[in-house]
Amino acid sequence: MKNGNASRVGTALVLIAAVVFLCAGCGSSETAAEEEKETKTLALLLSQEDEFLMDLKENIETEAAAQGYELLYYTAEGDAGTQLRQAHEALAAGAETLIVNLTNDEASEQIAEVVGGANVVIVNRAPENPILHEKMVFVGMDETQSGLLQGKALAEYFWERKQGADIRYLLFQGVPGLENTDERSDGAIRSLTDVSFNPVAAAAYQVCDFYRDRARDAMKELLAQGVEFDCVICNNDAMALGVIEAMEEAGLDPGDVPIVGVDCTADGAAALEAGKLYMTVNQDARMEAEVAVAAAINLDQGRAYDSGMEQLLGSDYTAQTQPYMIRIPAEAVMA
């Protein structure tokens, strides 16, 4: 009998051990499944691949990786329809939070309709339409400030040369309707007007979608027409560089008139150093990327978009006045 009891006890222990082992296996599967569900993924949708945006992309990739996030990447090559399709693709690929550099303002409305309950950080180019809310926010440079800095630099240039009140200017625009085009342009003109200059457009505004080659072609045409001008205002360095190239090809010295840009890209800084670009505005790609990724991770983790921003921006964050927008301060850069 004792041997029989021992046998039954041994059998029971074996069964218990088997159950524990199977349960442990189930637990491992469930844990693995949970970990798979917790995969951290963001998507970056750029409008195009110009020098500044590629710098921004590199910084966003670095920051996302440092925070343990995979980054899906898409470029729309300037096409709003392509960007809309890419937003669908990113969501289908598992990204619940998108970082979007808009192609144009129409794209902002379409993306707002598509994303539904997803989170969106619009970066660098703010939408004109009031679509922002607690899950769709904007991170980018203070555009009005950048335009004002351009105008201030031009005013100082003309004061030093005792220029008359009338200033004939050429304006090369990015994408009208987007805040970083309109506010840069308006700020530059207003800054001249505020100090009693009379800025007069020497030709129709040249809309070049921020592209260097389009600005170069547009400037070639203006020079061929014999348009006279006192300065050139560009919404970014790429277009300013296109203007410089067109002037040099025509045998003109770009240093003879002040040409101003925005971004302080590597090529822009080189043109500034060479005396071909009069001034530019530093758009801090590293800081913009850090803030954009921080906002995206906040939304992805269910926190308020601006949680912890004081640590990144300090007193500059406390100066923010517009809801659902985080502005990165602009800074003038002169040779």
Side-chain angles (χ1 to χ4, degrees):
M1 289 295 292
K2 289 182 179 179
N3 289 337
N5 288 336
S7 177
R8 285 195 291 273
V9 169
T11 301
L13 290 173
V14 170
L15 289 173
I16 290 171
V19 170
V20 169
F21 175 79
L22 290 173
C23 288
C26 291
S28 299
S29 298
E30 290 172 359
T31 302
E34 287 174 1
E35 289 176 351
E36 187 175 343
K37 290 178 183 178
E38 292 175 359
T39 300
K40 299 176 179 179
T41 304
L42 301 174
L44 173 61
L45 286 69
L46 289 187
S47 62
Q48 61 198 58
E49 293 184 334
D50 64 25
E51 186 177 347
F52 175 78
L53 291 178
M54 294 310 292
D55 190 12
L56 182 65
K57 170 182 176 283
E58 181 178 327
N59 279 279
I60 288 175
E61 287 176 335
T62 299
E63 185 63 20
Q67 301 301 324
Y69 271 77
E70 176 189 1
L71 187 72
L72 308 178
Y73 173 64
Y74 306 84
T75 177
E77 298 182 349
D79 183 71
T82 298
Q83 188 165 75
L84 183 63
R85 186 183 72 250
Q86 290 171 342
H88 281 284
E89 292 174 1
L91 294 171
E96 296 180 356
T97 301
L98 313 180
I99 301 174
V100 182
N101 167 248
L102 295 168
T103 55
N104 58 31
D105 201 48
E106 180 182 348
S108 67
E109 291 184 333
Q110 293 175 330
I111 288 174
E113 294 174 0
V114 164
V115 296
N119 309 303
V120 178
V121 175
I122 298 174
V123 66
N124 182 252
R125 299 180 181 179
E128 184 75 12
N129 295 317
I131 62 169
L132 301 178
H133 51 79
E134 64 275 3
K135 296 185 70 175
M136 180 174 288
V137 302
F138 170 73
V139 171
M141 186 173 63
D142 188 327
E143 305 294 357
T144 298
Q145 185 185 19
S146 71
L148 293 174
L149 290 171
Q150 286 182 314
K152 180 182 178 182
L154 290 172
E156 291 173 351
Y157 175 93
F158 292 121
W159 276 329
E160 290 176 1
R161 287 156 181 77
K162 296 180 170 54
Q163 178 93 6
D166 291 341
I167 305 295
R168 299 167 300 179
Y169 68 91
L170 294 175
L171 181 61
F172 284 75
Q173 290 194 303
V175 182
L178 282 179
E179 193 168 312
N180 67 334
T181 287
D182 295 344
E183 292 198 3
R184 289 180 193 183
S185 302
D186 295 345
I189 304 306
R190 186 170 73 251
S191 189
L192 285 168
T193 304
D194 287 347
V195 291
S196 300
F197 281 109
N198 178 35
V200 179
Y205 291 0
Q206 306 299 300
V207 177
C208 302
D209 295 339
F210 297 104
Y211 286 103
R212 184 190 298 204
D213 58 345
R214 296 182 190 179
R216 181 176 60 246
D217 293 343
M219 189 63 180
K220 283 181 180 179
E221 181 62 27
L222 292 173
L223 293 174
Q225 294 172 10
V227 173
E228 297 183 353
F229 55 95
D230 299 311
C231 64
V232 185
I233 301 169
C234 302
N235 285 159
N236 74 338
D237 282 357
M239 291 188 294
L241 292 165
V243 167
I244 289 169
E245 290 171 0
M247 293 183 68
E248 290 181 326
E249 288 178 19
L252 301 174
D253 183 355
D256 287 344
V257 295
I259 302 169
V260 298
V262 175
D263 287 340
C264 197
T265 61
D267 285 351
L272 193 70
E273 184 68 23
K276 299 176 181 180
L277 184 66
Y278 181 65
M279 72 84 67
T280 185
V281 178
N282 182 34
Q283 181 165 199
D284 192 336
R286 181 190 59 78
M287 179 58 72
E288 202 164 294
E290 286 186 10
V291 174
V293 171
I297 291 175
N298 279 338
L299 294 176
D300 199 61
Q301 297 295 323
R303 298 188 294 264
Y305 73 94
D306 58 351
S307 177
M309 288 301 166
E310 297 89 344
Q311 298 174 5
L312 284 175
L313 293 171
S315 60
D316 290 325
Y317 176 72
T318 62
Q320 307 289 320
T321 58
Q322 294 171 286
Y324 313 123
M325 284 192 167
I326 300 178
R327 297 287 193 177
I328 311 298
E331 180 182 11
V333 183
M334 308 288 291

